[in-house]
Amino acid sequence: MAEHQLHDDEDEAVDEAKETQADAENKTAGTGEDAEDEEYGLSMDKVEAVLNESVDKKHMTPQMRRIVQRQEENTRRVEDTIKSTKANPRWFVPLFVTLMVVGLIWIVVYYIASTRGNVFPIPGIGNWNLAVGFGILLVGFLMTMWWH
């Protein structure tokens, strides 16, 4: 019984291969693709059908089934990762860029004003203006670490 079924499966596979080859020859007559199909033993139509999953899985080889299964698992993992990714609010990026620019401007204004004898942006704190500028700049840089 098992031998009879094995021979039937082999006959079906041979018939299918002949049909596939005949279809490929009809479609690619004169294009030189016949040689490529014969070289690899599979027609491109069959490969595309497997990639598009339009072929029945019972006609696939075990290797092809494993490839399709791996591809399905990878697709599922990527979709799950995308779904679980948290996006930042729209104001997040403009805020941290603004903080970095304001901190830089604060430091530059203090440096230029101190060379002329003035103490800006806040006159009463002196060199602590550098700390304020670097603090604002640091908050902007720290926000970049939480950016998704």
Side-chain angles (χ1 to χ4, degrees):
M1 168 100 177
E3 284 184 30
H4 181 58
Q5 185 177 7
L6 180 61
H7 289 297
D8 288 343
D9 290 344
E10 288 176 0
D11 291 340
E12 286 177 18
V14 169
D15 291 341
E16 184 179 330
K18 286 179 183 177
E19 288 174 11
T20 305
Q21 186 175 5
D23 289 343
E25 288 174 2
N26 291 337
K27 288 182 183 177
T28 62
T31 61
E33 292 181 17
D34 294 336
E36 291 178 10
D37 290 346
E38 290 176 8
E39 181 180 339
Y40 296 112
L42 286 174
S43 70
M44 287 306 295
D45 294 332
K46 190 169 184 179
V47 172
E48 287 176 8
V50 169
L51 293 175
N52 294 332
E53 292 189 55
S54 62
V55 73
D56 191 17
K57 288 190 177 185
K58 69 179 180 179
H59 296 295
M60 288 189 217
T61 63
Q63 293 85 2
M64 294 169 104
R65 283 191 202 118
R66 283 193 296 265
I67 290 171
V68 169
Q69 182 181 7
R70 248 185 259 140
Q71 184 62 37
E72 289 171 353
E73 289 173 9
N74 288 341
T75 303
R76 182 188 49 78
R77 269 192 234 123
V78 168
E79 289 172 353
D80 290 346
T81 302
I82 290 171
K83 288 177 186 176
S84 67
T85 302
K86 296 177 185 175
N88 291 107
R90 299 182 81 184
W91 53 264
F92 194 80
V93 173
L95 178 63
F96 76 70
V97 169
T98 302
L99 286 172
M100 289 189 289
V101 169
V102 166
L104 180 65
I105 289 173
W106 191 293
I107 293 167
V108 169
V109 166
Y110 172 74
Y111 178 73
I112 291 173
S114 67
T115 58
R116 295 186 177 174
N118 300 341
V119 182
F120 278 117
I122 301 176
I125 61 173
N127 286 338
W128 283 101
N129 279 306
L130 284 174
V132 170
F134 278 115
I136 294 170
L137 196 66
L138 182 64
V139 169
F141 276 117
L142 289 175
M143 286 180 72
T144 63
M145 290 192 296
W146 295 304
W147 178 36
H148 296 272

